[in-house]
Amino acid sequence: MEAENNMDFDQAVFRITQNYLSDEVFVTKENRRLPGRSNIIILIKRLRSLMFPGYFEEKNFKSVDARYFAGNTLNSIRSELRQQAEIALAYTNEHKTQSEIAQQADDTARYFISRLADIQNMLLKDVQAGFDGDPAAKSRQEIISSYPGVFAIFVYRMAHELYVKRIPFIPRIMSEYAHSRTGIDINPGAEIGEYFFIDHGTGVVIGETTKIGNNVKLYQGVTLGALSTRKGQLLADVKRHPTIENNVTIYSGATILGGETVIGANSIIGGNTFITESVPAYTKVSLKAPEMVFQADPPKDSEQDWDWVI
């Protein structure tokens, strides 16, 4: 019996090993590997600490020299990003030399560092949009420290910069980490303007080719998606998600689909609507209220089922 078990085990090892060698999807082939998810999460946490110092660590920021803090944190971010970008680029650029890959990773890290002050200013506008748009918010500090929508937007804005530079893997790892934390799925390829706010947030989906203008507000369960993805990779790089112009509010559960669909500026999209064609500016879209049916008086027979039967 033991010999038979060993044969089964050896056969399983052999077959799995053959799978490793026969399909390029397995990263062990040619000693390549993917960026480490745990490293990317550490990078996100360092970036959050840099963007909002004193909010997510025990140190009191006022007691730390700001220049030293910024310099030290930026240096660690640059080093980690350069290393992970080099790993990602090496996996997808077999035709390039190691020197060329290292140079591209270094250029990416330097570009990313140069963008961080501008991104920080964008994030402060997003926080202000959240405060202005939510009467339940007690302060901007509360929004920074507590609101899942702001965290998802923060991660998106970081990931988008790397997406623009065509760094593989890392932007999506970042966005999926935010997705797992918040229930908000923002593809790093989306283009999103200033003063963006997601209220509550759970279930929001924003597709890769979505374009969103300034001062747009979404509620929970909103989907900005594609009409159909049955053509799969044939639709890569095709505009398949909607455009949302400036000053638009989209209420909970609304679904807006299609690359040619444009929601005009200053429009209001009501909850649970399903939209696949463009909406002119200054338009209110809502569902006609469904008829409510009330069934009064529960059955007197306690053994009778009390259910949704009319």
Side-chain angles (χ1 to χ4, degrees), residues 68-281:
Y68 171 80
F69 172 80
N72 187 56
T73 308
L74 279 171
N75 189 54
S76 65
I77 290 169
R78 179 174 58 186
S79 177
E80 187 66 57
L81 177 58
R82 183 169 50 203
Q83 180 183 11
Q84 295 303 312
E86 188 170 342
I87 292 170
L89 290 166
Y91 187 83
T92 55
N93 293 276
E94 297 179 51
H95 61 285
K96 289 188 176 181
T97 67
Q98 187 59 43
S99 176
E100 290 173 327
I101 290 170
Q103 184 61 56
Q104 186 178 353
D106 186 64
D107 290 345
T108 298
R110 288 191 292 108
Y111 164 82
F112 186 78
I113 292 298
S114 73
R115 289 285 300 136
L116 287 177
D118 291 331
I119 296 172
Q120 188 176 44
N121 288 331
M122 288 277 284
L123 289 169
L124 290 174
K125 292 176 182 178
D126 296 330
V127 170
Q128 188 64 50
F131 182 70
D132 293 342
D134 185 4
K138 306 307 179 189
S139 66
R140 292 188 302 166
Q141 289 82 355
E142 180 182 72
I143 290 173
I144 292 170
S145 62
S146 305
Y147 278 42
V150 168
F151 179 73
I153 295 167
F154 151 72
V155 174
Y156 153 77
R157 295 210 184 277
M158 300 298 166
H160 180 71
E161 295 298 325
L162 298 175
Y163 177 95
V164 168
K165 299 300 286 184
R166 296 186 178 276
I167 298 299
F169 303 116
I170 296 175
R172 200 56 185 264
I173 293 172
M174 296 174 82
S175 65
E176 287 306 318
Y177 173 66
H179 185 193
S180 69
R181 285 279 307 274
T182 65
I184 300 168
D185 185 1
I186 308 177
N187 189 287
E191 299 177 22
I192 300 177
E194 299 180 341
Y195 294 98
F196 181 54
F197 182 51
I198 301 174
D199 203 353
H200 306 296
T202 304
V204 166
V205 177
I206 300 175
E208 181 185 28
T209 61
T210 303
K211 293 185 178 180
I212 297 176
N214 298 329
N215 195 32
V216 170
K217 182 177 183 179
L218 310 183
Y219 285 84
Q220 68 273 18
V222 168
T223 297
L224 305 179
L227 271 170
S228 174
T229 57
R230 290 186 178 184
K231 293 183 180 179
Q233 289 299 317
L234 294 175
L235 295 175
D237 301 322
V238 174
K239 178 78 164 72
R240 47 192 196 280
H241 302 96
T243 296
I244 313 298
E245 294 185 344
N246 297 341
N247 307 313
V248 170
T249 298
I250 306 176
Y251 283 96
S252 60
T255 297
I256 303 172
L257 306 179
E260 297 182 0
T261 303
V262 177
I263 305 301
N266 302 289
S267 292
I268 298 174
I269 306 301
N272 299 314
T273 49
F274 188 88
I275 299 173
T276 58
E277 57 187 55
S278 294
V279 171

